[in-house]
Amino acid sequence: MHPGRQLGVLGLVFVVLYLLVFFAGGAKGSFTDRLEPKLGLDLVGGTQATYIASQQGAPPTQEAMETARQIIESRVNALGVSEAEVVIQGNNTIVVSLAGEADDQLKDLSQAANMRFRLLTGTTIDVSAAALNPAAPSPAVSASAGAAPAASGSAAPSAAASGEAPAVTSQPSAPTGGQGGGAPAPSTEPSAAPSATPEASAPAPAAAPAADPSQKNATKEELLASAKKKVGDKVWAQAEKLTAPVDLSTDAEAGLPYKAFAQLTGAEVNALTPAMQFNVPTISCSQLDARPNGAIDDVNAEVVACYQGGAKVKLDKAKVVGDDIKEASPQLDQTQNQWVVSLDFTSEGQTKWTELTRTAFNATSTDPCFVAVQSLYGTADHCAVAVVLDKSILSAPQIQGVLSGQSQITGDFTAASAKELADQLNFGAIPVTFEAGPAQTVSATLGLQQLEAGLLAAAIGMGLVAIYAFFYYRLLGSVIFLSLGLSALLTFGALVFLGRTLGYTLTLAGIAGFIVSLGVAADSFVIYFERLKDEIHEGRTPRSAVPRAWHRARRTIISANTITILCAVVLYIVSIGAVQGFAFALGLSTVLDLVVVFLFRHPIMTMLASTKAFLSPRVSGLGRVLRNRTDVKEA
């Protein structure tokens, strides 16, 4: 064999690993900062967020809460191996704990992620500010292609967008003879986008009234009674008779009778009929956005929502929902160099989606959906389908053809936001609506004390092992010491890189896994060295005994480590939380120990076998075996 080559490969592994540690995976800061592993909640503290189920009427069932917990936990795990704790407290609260400053990661975990595809049937701009102040100029709408701001919402792209409106498009598919060899499905990008921006002199819309805590668990009947009391019977009856949005262009003061509607809370507005929400001019987008979670989730009802904060839109019943999506995946569109979310529908969902796009595509210019698109975009070719996630409209593109294949949600996505939306769709919608409860910082004082005690115990144990190894094996003890050191360096570099790229979090349980793996590594030394003594005792020279001992011990070492790895894999799959972190650490360190066994321990022993020190009983550690062999020769 050529031990120099194996040692060279090991050196290359170290170089590549630490180049990744220092320069890849978003490494930043000083070299010291880049060597810091991602520590867990028990070591550095973290954030604990509380989500309280919104009880509109009956409280959630235990089954619904457990389903919600599992979905939230899946979303957390999709962020990386973070060992987050997701537990149910009481009958309506879920508590999520993450290490470090995790506000950005926690804020969207409880979003329901209810995807709805609805035909757009009506639109009007938000004139609430003008209705309350007739003396000020009213907002105006100017249609300009591609000028829509980025979609808002928890799973939508950030508002700092390039200005391109998100759209649903159909990916081209190869023509087949069964379909007559048709052309690829056309895209559904909107031909024009809204710019519902008020004139510079127009007043800004008023903020929604603050939520009333007493309305949190109020029924719809109680909320309607409260709203009617604020508005008054006469104005209420007048609002119920509206069949279209109040036109302020001919009478600037036509909205003043409805001034009291501006005082309704989001919960009270949610209790109104969709027609009243849409037609009353003083109900603003800020009030619609303040409605409780799940306000427009009903698939069998028409709903009203705001698009880009400047237009109130009326939407038809949901013909396609998130459950009709078989798989969602983030992809980088090479043609436009932007991230998209690709949608594969179930067989039934594809039928629904095709029928919905056929309805939109075949609509005539007199249909309400066609008129709505004309009003929204300034020009219209076909009707539009709104892509709605929870309370937010991600996009409302015109349908340019009947879509019968895979589709995409496009927009100003980043890799992270595209993955987040895809994960939410894949894991399913949460069956319970939540409101964010109090968040608090968790101290790591107790964990740090335990860490210090654990590291001290580990150092004492390793020191005793080193003393015993040098006393019993002498020169071979240095091989043990160097092997363990190299394994430790490989493991440390791996956990730093994995923490930065995959979110692996080092906790006390993980440290325990690493320490246990040292015992597995020590066992492999005993197997190899004792096998070497047996070979020399049988009359072979140390130089010939080394490869023979390796050949006979190798199978046992591989078998023992394989069993440990399999146990770690099984434990990781069937467990959660800290136990899962222990299993991951044990499996990782065992794999890296095998790397050191093959690329360092065996070649270094081959090199030592040709030295004079290795042949000395006092230096090598083979001791009595070499002396007995010498005595046999002399006899």
Side-chain angles (χ1 to χ4, degrees), residues 140-151:
V141 176
S142 59
S144 56

Side-chain angles (χ1 to χ4, degrees), residues 8-24 490 493 497:
V9 172
L10 180 63
L12 181 62
V13 170
F14 268 95
V15 170
V16 172
L17 175 60
Y18 277 88
L19 283 176
L20 293 175
V21 168
F22 285 112
F23 303 106
L490 279 177
F497 181 69

Side-chain angles (χ1 to χ4, degrees), residues 41 67 138 175 194-195 198 223 226 236 276 335 364 390 432 522 569 626:
L41 184 68
T67 300
S138 61
S195 179
L223 293 170
S226 175
W236 186 272
M276 198 177 292
T335 58
T364 64
D390 295 333
V432 181
V569 170
L626 284 176

Side-chain angles (χ1 to χ4, degrees), residues 206-456:
D212 186 350
S214 64
Q215 297 177 345
K216 182 177 180 181
N217 298 321
T219 64
K220 183 176 181 180
E221 290 73 18
E222 292 171 338
L223 293 170
L224 278 174
S226 175
K228 192 172 183 178
K229 182 178 180 181
K230 289 182 180 180
V231 172
D233 293 341
K234 181 179 179 180
V235 177
W236 186 272
Q238 188 174 345
E240 286 183 317
K241 296 178 181 178
L242 293 175
T243 58
V246 175
D247 186 5
L248 302 184
S249 61
T250 56
D251 183 3
E253 297 184 354
L256 287 178
Y258 307 97
K259 187 174 182 179
F261 279 94
Q263 304 304 316
L264 301 184
T265 64
E268 291 169 339
V269 169
N270 185 52
L272 306 181
T273 63
M276 198 177 292
Q277 295 174 12
F278 185 68
N279 295 328
V280 174
T282 51
I283 293 180
S284 65
C285 278
S286 58
Q287 288 173 286
L288 292 174
D289 292 338
R291 290 174 296 180
N293 294 333
I296 60 174
D297 285 348
D298 189 353
V299 298
N300 297 315
E302 294 183 339
V303 298
V304 176
C306 277
Y307 188 38
Q308 310 298 343
K312 291 198 294 184
V313 295
K314 186 165 57 175
L315 304 172
D316 195 10
K317 299 177 182 179
K319 305 298 183 182
V320 183
V321 298
D323 290 341
D324 294 319
I325 298 173
K326 181 179 180 181
E327 182 180 8
S329 58
Q331 295 181 359
L332 181 62
D333 189 338
Q334 299 293 342
T335 58
Q336 300 185 21
N337 194 30
Q338 64 178 3
W339 283 94
V340 301
V341 178
S342 179
L343 303 179
D344 281 318
F345 291 96
T346 63
S347 57
E348 184 180 356
Q350 186 64 63
T351 301
K352 294 179 182 179
W353 175 241
T354 301
E355 185 60 32
L356 178 59
T357 57
R358 180 180 288 111
T359 300
F361 179 70
N362 293 332
T364 64
S365 59
T366 58
D367 287 333
C369 63
F370 198 98
V371 177
V373 172
Q374 178 75 33
S375 174
L376 182 63
Y377 292 125
T379 181
D381 296 321
H382 303 282
C383 289
V385 172
V387 184
V388 185
L389 183 71
D390 295 333
K391 295 189 297 181
S392 301
I393 300 177
L394 299 187
S395 64
Q398 296 184 58
I399 302 300
Q400 303 292 343
V402 179
L403 307 180
S404 58
Q406 190 183 57
S407 298
Q408 293 177 339
I409 300 176
T410 66
D412 190 36
F413 285 108
T414 62
S417 62
K419 181 180 182 299
E420 179 184 2
L421 177 56
D423 287 340
Q424 288 179 337
L425 297 179
N426 286 330
F427 297 140
I430 296 178
V432 181
T433 57
F434 288 94
E435 293 180 356
Q440 60 183 352
T441 301
V442 180
S443 172
T445 303
L446 180 59
L448 288 176
Q449 292 175 349
Q450 293 175 339
L451 175 62
E452 292 175 358
L455 292 179
L456 177 61

Side-chain angles (χ1 to χ4, degrees), residues 518-539:
L518 294 177
V520 178
D523 288 342
S524 64
F525 285 108
V526 174
I527 293 171
Y528 184 23
F529 292 160
E530 294 304 316
R531 184 69 258 178
L532 178 61
K533 289 183 178 182
D534 290 342
E535 293 294 330
I536 295 175
H537 184 73
E538 292 176 2

